[in-house]
Amino acid sequence: MKKIKKLGNNSLDGIKLFLLTGFLSCTSFITYSQSVIPQEAVTVSPEDSLVEELPTVEAFIPTADVNKVREGFQRMQRSIPLQYNSTVHSFVDYFIYKKPSFTKKMLERKNFYFPIFEKYLAKYNMPDELKYLSMLESGLNPKAISHAKAVGLWQFMKPTGGDFGLRVNEFVDDRMDIEKSTEAACKYFKQLYSIFGDWELVLASYNTGPGNLRRAIRRAGNVRDYWQLHPFLHKDTRTYVPQFTAIMYMMLHADEYGIFPEEIMEPVTTETVTIDGFLDVETFSNASGISIDDIQKLNPQILKGVLPAHSKGFELKIPAVNYAYFEANRQMILDSAQGRGIEPVILASNNSERGVIIIGGNTNYSASNDRNNGETIVEELDKPAKVEDDIKKIHKVKKKTYTVRRGDVLNKIADKYNVDTYDLKTWNKLKSSKIMVGQKLIILHDDEEVVEIERTIKAERKNKNSIEKNKPKYHVVQRGDTLWSISQRYGGISVEKIKKMNGLHSNAVKKGQKLKIV
C-alpha cells in the first residue's frame, strides 16, 4: 500500500464536492456513483437557506482522523490490494457522517447474506472481500431493480444473467434468487479476472463493462494499474473502487464511530422442496405453517405468488426448523397448494387493450414492455426508494442548525428536512429520540434546489404508483375455473360483483374468457 500524505484543508482545495448517487450501481453500466469530497467551509448566502429559522450555513462534512483510518486499513486482512488515499477517505467520511443510516442498514443485513456469499466465493476460489460488492450494487436487497432494469443482489441485466444460466420469465426471475445469482456473480468475477488479471480492474469492469474498460486501457497507452488508469475512466466509474474500499473498512470499524446495528437479520438454515407443476405460495404457507414472510425472504425470485403448471424442478427453500412437519404432511400440503390448477397469465403491454394488467394471484408487480427489445419485464411497484434516488445531481452539503420548538418530534423534523431519523440522531449524538424545547440540532442538508428536485421525483413516483394501482385488472379463465374459485382467488370478491362488472347473466364461463376483476 502506498503511503499517502496527511489530509488537510490545503490539500483538498479545488476538489469538486460530489454526493453519492449510485450505491446501487449495476452491471448495466448506466447507474454510477459519485462521492462527497470534503473541502474547506464555503460561506453560503442567506437566500440559500430553506426557511427563515435556519441561519446562514456553510458547506460542511466532518472528517475522520486520517491516522486512525490509515491504521485500520493497514490491519485489514485482504486479498485485493486496495489502496487508501484521499478519495477513499472521502467515502469513509460519507459513510460515517453523511449517511450512517446506510452503514447501519448494511450491518443489519450482512449476517443473513454473507454466509451464502462466502460459500460460493470459496467454491470458485474468489477473494472473500468481494462479498462487500453487493452492498454497493443493491444495498443487500435481492429485489432491487435499477432504472436500467438490472435486477437482484448483484444487479444482472437479463442478457448477462442468461449467459450465466439465470432464467427470467413472468413467474420466476433467477436474478433475485440469492444462491443462483451469487454463483453467477462468482462465475462472472472469474471470467473478468481471466481477462484483466487484476482485482481492482475486475471491480471497475463490473461497473463499467469489460468493453469500456478495454477502451480506457487503450486510451491510457495500455496502462493496467487502476490508479494510473483512473483519469481515463468514466468519471462515475472512478468512484466505484473507492466506494468498495470505504464500505469494506466501515463494515469492520463502524462501531468505532458509534454506528451499530439494531434489527439484525440472522442467517437461516434451509431445506429444499422440489416443486413440479402449479403451486399457490399462500396456500402452501397456510398448509405448512411456514410464514409467508419467511417463504418470500428465502425465495425472492418468485414474482407472482404462484408457480405455473409447467414448472419443473423448482427448488423452493423453506426453514430447516419447519422441514420435519412438512415431510410428515407432504402429500396433504402439496395437494392443498397445487389443487386449484389455476395458472395466472400476464399479457404484455402491447396488448390491444392498453394499460390492462392480467393478474393471477397476490402480486406487487405489473408487466411493462421494453421498447428497445419488445421483451416483457416485470417491475416492482411501491418498492422503497433506492439510495441512488436520494441525490439526483452534484451539489453542496450544508450544515444547518434547527432549534426545537414546542410540539416537535424527532421523526417529524427528519421528515421535514428529508433526512433519515437515524442520521439525525447520529449527527447530534442522541442516544434516544427524546428532544427538548430550545435544543439545537445539527442537520447536514442538501441545497434548496436539490431538495425540490428530490420532492418532485418522489411525487412523480407516488403518482405513477397510484396510476398503476388504479389500472383495471383482468383474469383470463383457465380450465377448471368457476366464478366461485375466481372470486376466492381475488380476495373474496363476490360472484355477483364479477357478473355485474362483466355483464354475465349466468355462472357459466369459458376457457380463454377475459373477466374484469377490479
Side-chain angles (χ1 to χ4, degrees):
M1 179 183 297
K2 296 181 180 178
K3 185 173 182 180
I4 66 168
K5 295 181 179 179
K6 184 174 182 180
L7 296 174
N9 288 338
N10 292 335
S11 66
L12 296 177
D13 287 345
I15 301 177
K16 297 184 69 178
L17 184 62
F18 292 100
L19 266 180
L20 189 64
T21 61
F23 289 109
L24 306 184
S25 55
C26 61
T27 52
S28 64
F29 324 128
I30 293 182
T31 303
Y32 292 96
S33 312
Q34 294 172 332
S35 66
V36 181
I37 308 297
Q39 61 175 195
E40 287 186 307
V42 179
T43 302
V44 180
S45 59
E47 58 265 29
D48 284 338
S49 300
L50 289 175
V51 290
E52 292 181 359
E53 69 197 29
L54 297 177
T56 299
V57 296
E58 57 186 25
F60 175 83
I61 283 288
T63 186
D65 181 82
V66 174
N67 291 329
K68 178 180 178 179
V69 177
R70 183 191 295 116
E71 290 172 4
F73 271 100
Q74 290 172 345
R75 291 195 305 268
M76 287 163 54
Q77 298 295 318
R78 57 192 184 274
S79 302
I80 301 176
L82 298 169
Q83 186 175 144
Y84 168 58
N85 54 31
S86 60
T87 305
V88 172
H89 190 92
S90 71
F91 278 104
V92 171
D93 285 342
Y94 184 89
F95 292 130
I96 296 172
Y97 299 113
K98 182 59 177 74
K99 212 67 176 176
S101 57
F102 179 81
T103 304
K104 169 179 170 287
K105 187 179 295 183
M106 295 304 96
L107 290 170
E108 292 173 339
R109 295 180 178 182
K110 69 182 181 68
N111 286 3
F112 181 81
Y113 294 103
F114 274 16
I116 299 171
F117 297 170
E118 290 163 358
K119 178 178 72 173
Y120 285 103
L121 288 168
K123 177 181 176 180
Y124 287 90
N125 198 28
M126 297 288 102
D128 182 75
E129 51 264 44
L130 288 172
K131 63 191 177 187
Y132 297 102
L133 194 63
S134 182
M135 292 180 171
L136 305 181
E137 289 293 322
S138 63
L140 294 182
N141 176 9
K143 286 188 172 292
I145 304 175
S146 79
H147 296 303
K149 311 303 180 189
V151 170
L153 289 164
W154 301 97
Q155 291 289 279
F156 278 103
M157 293 294 287
K158 187 176 180 180
T160 307
D163 290 342
F164 293 96
L166 302 179
R167 61 180 174 178
V168 179
N169 56 47
E170 295 93 336
F171 304 98
V172 174
D173 190 335
D174 281 343
R175 294 174 296 175
M176 296 182 183
D177 185 300
I178 301 170
E179 299 215 19
K180 289 183 179 179
S181 67
T182 300
E183 184 163 24
C186 291
K187 292 177 180 178
Y188 192 29
F189 292 144
K190 188 172 183 178
Q191 182 184 93
L192 293 174
Y193 189 77
S194 70
I195 296 172
F196 298 107
D198 178 278
W199 284 113
E200 288 182 315
L201 295 184
V202 168
L203 294 172
S205 63
Y206 196 89
N207 175 250
T208 194
N212 286 337
L213 187 59
R214 284 195 192 97
R215 285 188 283 274
I217 290 172
R218 287 197 295 270
R219 288 196 300 271
N222 291 321
V223 169
R224 299 184 73 87
D225 175 85
Y226 173 79
W227 288 100
Q228 291 182 27
L229 188 62
H230 213 238
F232 299 90
L233 298 171
H234 187 283
K235 63 180 182 179
D236 299 318
T237 305
R238 293 172 205 160
T239 68
Y240 195 71
V241 172
Q243 278 184 67
F244 173 83
T245 307
I247 197 62
M248 179 178 170
Y249 171 83
M250 288 308 302
M251 290 300 100
L252 300 173
H253 298 276
D255 59 329
E256 298 173 20
Y257 301 94
I259 304 174
F260 300 94
E262 294 176 354
E263 300 178 6
I264 297 176
M265 290 177 63
E266 296 295 350
V268 178
T269 304
T270 63
E271 295 286 351
T272 300
V273 177
T274 302
I275 302 296
D276 292 318
F278 176 83
L279 183 83
D280 186 298
V281 176
E282 186 173 1
T283 303
F284 180 89
S285 169
N286 293 334
S288 65
I290 304 171
S291 76
I292 191 71
D293 289 341
D294 283 344
I295 294 175
Q296 291 173 342
K297 183 168 70 172
L298 298 175
N299 303 275
Q301 70 274 27
I302 300 177
L303 302 179
K304 298 171 59 58
V306 294
L307 297 175
H310 56 74
S311 297
K312 188 170 181 62
F314 180 87
E315 296 180 345
L316 184 74
K317 296 287 192 305
I318 65 172
V321 296
N322 300 104
Y323 190 70
Y325 178 82
F326 170 80
E327 271 298 292
N329 299 275
R330 175 186 287 265
Q331 198 61 47
M332 177 274 291
I333 293 171
L334 292 181
D335 284 349
S336 298
Q338 297 181 308
R340 293 182 183 179
I342 302 172
E343 182 178 347
V345 176
I346 280 187
L347 298 184
S349 61
N350 59 359
N351 186 276
S352 58
E353 186 168 354
R354 297 185 62 81
V356 172
I357 305 175
I358 310 296
I359 63 176
N362 295 331
T363 175
N364 291 321
Y365 298 85
S366 70
S368 65
N369 186 260
D370 187 326
R371 295 181 182 178
N372 293 327
N373 56 22
E375 69 185 270
T376 299
I377 294 178
V378 179
E379 297 183 72
E380 185 176 1
L381 302 181
D382 280 338
K383 59 179 180 288
K386 295 182 292 184
V387 177
E388 67 188 30
D389 292 329
D390 282 350
I391 312 299
K392 303 307 292 185
K393 59 177 287 187
I394 297 171
H395 59 289
K396 293 178 180 178
V397 177
K398 302 172 182 177
K399 177 184 178 181
K400 303 174 185 292
T401 302
Y402 176 81
T403 303
V404 177
R405 298 173 174 178
R406 187 179 302 276
D408 277 348
V409 182
L410 195 66
N411 66 334
K412 297 295 184 182
I413 297 173
D415 290 343
K416 182 176 182 179
Y417 295 105
N418 199 31
V419 298
D420 191 282
T421 302
Y422 180 84
D423 292 340
L424 190 56
K425 290 170 68 175
T426 303
W427 298 333
N428 293 279
K429 298 180 172 59
L430 300 177
K431 295 182 179 180
S432 71
S433 296
K434 184 178 180 179
I435 51 178
M436 300 175 64
V437 174
Q439 184 176 354
K440 304 291 186 182
L441 296 178
I442 292 173
I443 300 174
L444 299 187
H445 206 284
D446 308 315
D447 65 43
E448 186 171 4
E449 177 184 2
V450 175
V451 169
E452 186 57 38
I453 289 173
E454 292 174 355
R455 288 173 181 157
T456 301
I457 291 168
K458 290 181 178 180
E460 289 176 350
R461 184 188 297 115
K462 183 177 180 180
N463 182 56
K464 178 182 177 181
N465 289 341
S466 176
I467 293 172
E468 292 290 340
K469 288 180 179 178
N470 292 326
K471 285 182 179 180
K473 295 178 174 63
Y474 290 80
H475 175 82
V476 176
V477 177
Q478 305 294 299
R479 179 178 300 173
D481 277 0
T482 65
L483 285 183
W484 169 253
S485 67
I486 294 171
S487 71
Q488 295 305 298
R489 188 171 191 80
Y490 296 98
I493 181 176
S494 70
V495 171
E496 289 305 317
K497 186 174 181 180
I498 296 176
K499 290 171 66 175
K500 184 176 181 180
M501 285 191 297
N502 292 278
L504 301 178
H505 301 291
S506 72
N507 290 341
V509 291
K510 298 179 180 180
K511 181 181 178 181
Q513 185 177 357
K514 186 165 65 176
L515 299 177
K516 185 175 182 180
I517 303 300
V518 179

